Amino acid sequence: MSDKKNPLATLSRRGLLKGVGAVGALPLLNACGAMGQQGGGDARVVVIGGGFGGATAAKYLKRGNPNLEVTLVEPNEVFYTCPFSNLYLGGLREMNEIAHNYNELREVYGVQVIHQTAQDVDPVNHTVVLGDGTTLIYDKLIMSPGIDFRWNELEGYDEAAPQYAPHAWQAGEQTRLLRRQLEDMDDGGVFVLVAPANPFRCPPGPYERASMVAHYFSQHKPNSKVLILDAKDNFSKQGLFTAGWNEFYGDRIEWVGLSNDGRVTRVDAIRREVETEFGTLHQADVLNVVPPQKAGFIAERAGLTDDSGWVPVNPATFESTQAEDIFVVGDATIAAPMPKSGFSASSQGKVAAAAIVAQVAGETPPPAYFTNTCYSLIAPDYGISVAGIYRTTSDGEVETTSSGLSPSEADASTRALEAQYARGWYEAMAQDAWGTRY
Amino acid sequence: MRKLQSLLALSLLALLAPAALADGSGWERHAAVAEAVGEATPQLGQLRMQMPSVSEDGSAVPLELSIDHPMSADEYIESIRVFATKNPNAEVVDFFLTPQMGRPEVSTRVRVNESQTLYAVAHSSTGEVYVASADIRITVGGCLMASDDDIAEFGQPRVAIPRSPSAGEPGEVRTLVTHPMETGLREGPDGEILPRRLLDTLVVEYEGDTVLTVRMHTAVSENPYMRFFMAPEESGQAVFRWTEEDSGDTVEEQATFNLS
Ligand SMILES: Cc1cc2nc3c(=O)[nH]c(=O)nc-3n(C[C@H](O)[C@H](O)[C@H](O)COP(=O)(O)OP(=O)(O)OC[C@H]3O[C@@H](n4cnc5c(N)ncnc54)[C@H](O)[C@@H]3O)c2cc1C
């Protein structure tokens, strides 16, 4: 067999991927070789998605059993995190500070990284088809494809709309576009943020974003305003956000909830105009729409989603309830009460990796527990958080064993410390998943 | 080996694929539902009851009810009632419909205390009975701790009617009013039980005729929201009137249909 450490270094990627059957190290489909089962140690694990859940899972698979053949499929060579992308909008970070790559996974852990999109999964034959037509065989598959949007569920917000009214709910070009629009906006303008109903990626995200945009306005555009139009009556850490907004931004931030006609039902992205359920029209100077969401398309294509559009899983292992040998983690899953957060995705990725390592060795997976903390910055030195510890109950549900929220009354130094913890959390996460060091 | 595994996977897929069907069966085990059904043998699988299968906020769960059924003067759906078998009070909300609605489809937002099965019972003017159910799991989301903010007062009625309604065509109508819908079962911040204060009904009239009556119970969410259809034949005035239980206080809103 060829060098398993770094096969991509010796062959051109194209040659490698097209050379069906030529390279034993990659789990490529060989027309007649597909039936060959390998010994336990060399089981083939494919991971789809190199975000929080997938990158973490790939690394922990290799840590748990270096003999596993782990292939990570991720279209992007650089991954930008949503966490701290709001800080980029607030002018506190630059894009290169939220960028990560796959060098450590490849070079230190010997994960084979293929920059392609998985187009199809055949759960019966245990294969994954990539964008360039390559087929991978797996013994176990982990998917952490994140979210896709439900285009047009919000009338007028279709696939063309984000170029005018960005969502910036997947970080990268969209985040840059939103910041450019904020910079180009005249002072005195209104930034309108359309927030979705539950469930969606990062429950406190819209409110941290409103805070960071208000912070940017307070520095550069003092007469500008933030208007949040919300499809909910309650939101994550609401009391803490509201108190922080009062302290820093006064009436610069206005929040309109569901019962005050906050639910947007129609968007005109080009004119930056939105209409609410009871017919109020709002004109924005910068319009940010966080659209309704569902699991990443590949989960649906593999037949793993239910009619909610998300993936039901067995929470003891995060194995799909719909197909054997497929594990799904992260935002794509139904894991409530765990929120759709990067921290949850990473925690679930570790549980799935441990379950696979155990199954391959013929052992029982260890009991699952999960942790999550959602930090949000309201101002550069003002952080708040909500934390939870979760476990799987005997009847197969996720249960919160303990949880906590920042105190509602706290002095400035407590809030400053939490802002510092948030930065520490980010760096620890980035190092754990992608090996990025600050 | 691999072949065996594939076969196994195939049979597993076949077993697992169909989602647990909630078609209304089991209704006879719940007294309130059985009483609403009455003597007739109900038909299952026709009335549709849509709710999310998992909700992170049991205080306002979207609920939609619909059925393919005529809404003509001599054959229409005349009531749809909803029950939550594990709520402290099983009755959730009752809709009394008329042919003037044009389409038997209604939605609202309800309180669901814990994971359970909800039932809906519909009666037609010709004596048919339809039952549906929906299973829902309630979890309180980890990043979703709500705050207890200001108590809503009774007022601020809002109504949205179709922009350009046509004669006889069912058009979507949405209504919202602020009201605390205090159940009388909940403790306030001082540990005392907050007194019960509920809306009793929403009545919708068109040119003096009742189009829809909604009776609300403790499980209708704060700031009641109702969505339904109206299919007026001629231009005219609609009146929407919410009435509070006990006090009898009302709040009213009007809307004019200019038909094309
Ligand atoms: C503004 C904002 C702020 C946030 N802040 C925080 C925070 O402070 N803390 C926190 O914990 N969480 C935060 N989140 C949430 C966090 O971003 C997500 O929960 C997290 O990214 C989920 O991880 P995931 O692995 O499920 O998906 P992602 O991290 O989105 O990874 C999915 C990956 O899969 C790839 N992919 C998708 N489909 C395919 C396919 N078919 N083939 C191959 N690859 C595919 C994608 O390219 C992507 O790289 C925030 C989110 C937003 C929007």
Side-chain angles (χ1 to χ4, degrees), chain A residues 35 44 124 126 139 203 236-237 258-261 275 277-278 321-322 324 336-337 339 374 386 390 397 403, chain B residues 2 6 10 12-13 16 54 109 137 139-143 145 147 156 158-160 163 174-176 223 225:
Chain A
M35 300 298 169
R44 297 153 298 187
V124 175
H126 283 56
D139 297 306
S236 172
K237 299 183 267 188
L258 179 66
S259 290
N260 269 317
D261 196 18
E275 183 180 341
E277 196 167 26
F278 292 96
T321 58
Q322 313 290 321
E324 220 188 3
C374 294
V386 54
Y390 310 88
E397 284 181 3
S403 64
Chain B
R2 150 85 34 201
S6 302
L10 190 69
L12 246 165
L13 271 178
L16 294 171
V54 180
R109 295 194 274 261
R137 191 158 71 83
T139 67
V140 176
C143 275
M145 299 190 179
S147 68
Q156 282 197 52
R158 295 183 210 261
V159 170
R163 214 180 293 273
R174 298 184 290 256
T175 68
L176 180 71
N223 305 328
Y225 167 88

Side-chain angles (χ1 to χ4, degrees), chain A residues 47-58 142-144 329-330 341-342 344-350 433-434:
Chain A
V47 180
I48 298 178
F52 280 86
T56 308
I142 299 187
M143 258 191 219
S144 190
V329 299
S341 73
S344 297
S346 150
S347 199
Q348 295 159 7
K350 289 175 187 175
W434 300 278

Side-chain angles (χ1 to χ4, degrees), chain B residues 93-159:
Chain B
V93 61
D94 308 317
F95 298 91
F96 300 99
L97 297 76
T98 66
Q100 293 203 60
M101 292 175 68
R103 183 189 296 182
E105 178 179 323
V106 291
S107 24
T108 183
R109 295 194 274 261
V110 300
R111 293 171 171 146
V112 183
N113 266 44
E114 56 179 299
S115 304
Q116 58 179 288
T117 305
L118 279 88
Y119 286 89
V121 180
H123 284 257
S124 79
S125 60
T126 55
E128 300 293 332
V129 182
Y130 305 91
V131 173
S133 63
D135 295 330
I136 181 164
R137 191 158 71 83
I138 302 292
T139 67
V140 176
C143 275
L144 275 175
M145 299 190 179
S147 68
D148 235 349
D149 47 348
D150 350 314
I151 306 277
E153 272 310 308
F154 184 20
Q156 282 197 52
R158 295 183 210 261
V159 170

Side-chain angles (χ1 to χ4, degrees), chain B residues 3 10 31 43 47-49 55 91 106 137 139 160 202 214-215 217 228 240 246 255:
Chain B
K3 204 163 213 164
L10 190 69
Q43 303 179 41
L47 181 63
R48 285 181 298 273
M49 182 172 192
S55 175
E91 288 180 290
V106 291
R137 191 158 71 83
T139 67
L202 162 66
V214 185
R215 173 160 298 134
H217 304 284
F228 49 90
F240 304 81
D246 298 334

